[in-house]
Amino acid sequence: MTSTQAILWTPDTPPDGGIFSTGEIVEVEGRPGEWELMKPGPGVWTVESARLEDRVSAKVSVSSLQRLSDTPHIRRGDLVMQRYPEQERAAVVGAVVRLGQWVAVKSYTLPDGGVCQALDSIDRLEVVTAEQLAAAIRLDVVHGTHVGRIVQAVVTARAGQFRVVCRCAPGAGEICRNGRKITWCPSLDSAHQLWDWHVSGHAPVDSVA
């Protein structure tokens, strides 16, 4: 005697067995262009055309979905930061579209409370978390006429290291010692030592260029 067990679908369990996921951009058989997966249903996905304007919505069968060979690693709703170690600002992705290359439509809040939107190549973006941003150290340092900052990197191989800058320094503000820019320090202590040396002349230890 045999028995069968019903497989129940819920909104948290895509009917395709998890092969595809919300936010992924795919091709749909019989439909031109590229499509963003918006919402799963029993045997179907609701999709939207992955373009900047005039987006249209449709329901398509799971069997018609085809994964792209260059599926972008960033999706709608991701918190992203440009892949430069000195970068401090993060933005939220609103959409991902192909404009010759994959680009993200991202938005971030300005100091005055306004919201700015911009396009950026996804090759320059890295997904981060709110916890990473909250944990990154940002210190204002002042000594006499010297006004500077100690900032911890969040992304790239410099993540966790510290950058020390001062308004009195030329260019981007990196402090120079013996004709060389001391751009990054491996610890907060060494960053403080570099700042102390800059304002008083005492040489720091354990700093890296």
Side-chain angles (χ1 to χ4, degrees):
M1 185 174 178
T2 61
S3 64
T4 59
Q5 182 177 2
I7 299 176
L8 299 179
W9 174 83
T10 69
D12 296 325
T13 307
D16 57 22
I19 297 174
F20 297 99
S21 57
T22 302
E24 188 172 353
I25 296 177
V26 299
E27 290 181 340
V28 177
E29 186 178 357
R31 293 178 180 267
E34 292 151 339
W35 298 79
E36 182 180 351
L37 300 180
M38 305 302 292
K39 184 179 180 181
V44 300
W45 272 92
T46 299
V47 298
E48 284 188 8
S49 47
R51 56 194 186 205
L52 280 178
E53 299 177 341
D54 302 323
R55 291 171 69 102
V56 297
S57 178
K59 284 189 177 180
V60 300
S61 66
V62 171
S63 61
S64 69
L65 302 181
Q66 299 175 3
R67 180 163 280 114
L68 299 175
S69 60
D70 62 341
T71 301
H73 69 282
I74 286 172
R75 300 183 183 185
R76 178 189 302 269
D78 282 345
L79 186 64
V80 295
M81 181 176 282
Q82 287 185 328
R83 276 196 185 125
Y84 306 113
E86 58 275 329
Q87 183 62 253
E88 297 182 45
R89 175 183 291 157
V92 177
V93 176
V96 176
V97 298
R98 194 196 293 273
L99 297 176
Q101 61 181 329
W102 288 112
V103 300
V105 182
K106 61 180 191 178
S107 61
Y108 53 89
T109 303
L110 299 171
D112 63 4
V115 176
C116 181
Q117 263 197 350
L119 296 177
D120 208 344
S121 168
I122 68 165
D123 291 338
R124 300 199 306 171
L125 299 176
E126 187 168 328
V127 177
V128 296
T129 66
E131 290 75 18
Q132 282 178 284
L133 297 177
I137 292 174
R138 307 278 187 263
L139 295 176
D140 294 323
V141 283
V142 180
H143 183 92
T145 59
H146 294 279
V147 179
R149 298 190 77 208
I150 296 175
V151 179
Q152 190 174 25
V154 176
V155 295
T156 78
R158 294 290 190 186
Q161 296 183 20
F162 295 84
R163 182 172 181 244
V164 186
V165 297
C166 184
R167 290 183 184 175
C168 74
E174 284 91 355
I175 293 169
C176 290
R177 179 165 61 93
N178 297 331
R180 295 187 62 195
K181 289 183 179 179
I182 309 299
T183 308
W184 296 98
C185 298
S187 68
L188 183 58
D189 281 347
S190 62
H192 277 296
Q193 291 170 19
L194 178 60
W195 173 257
D196 290 342
W197 171 84
H198 176 66
V199 299
S200 66
H202 298 296
V205 298
D206 198 29
S207 61
V208 294

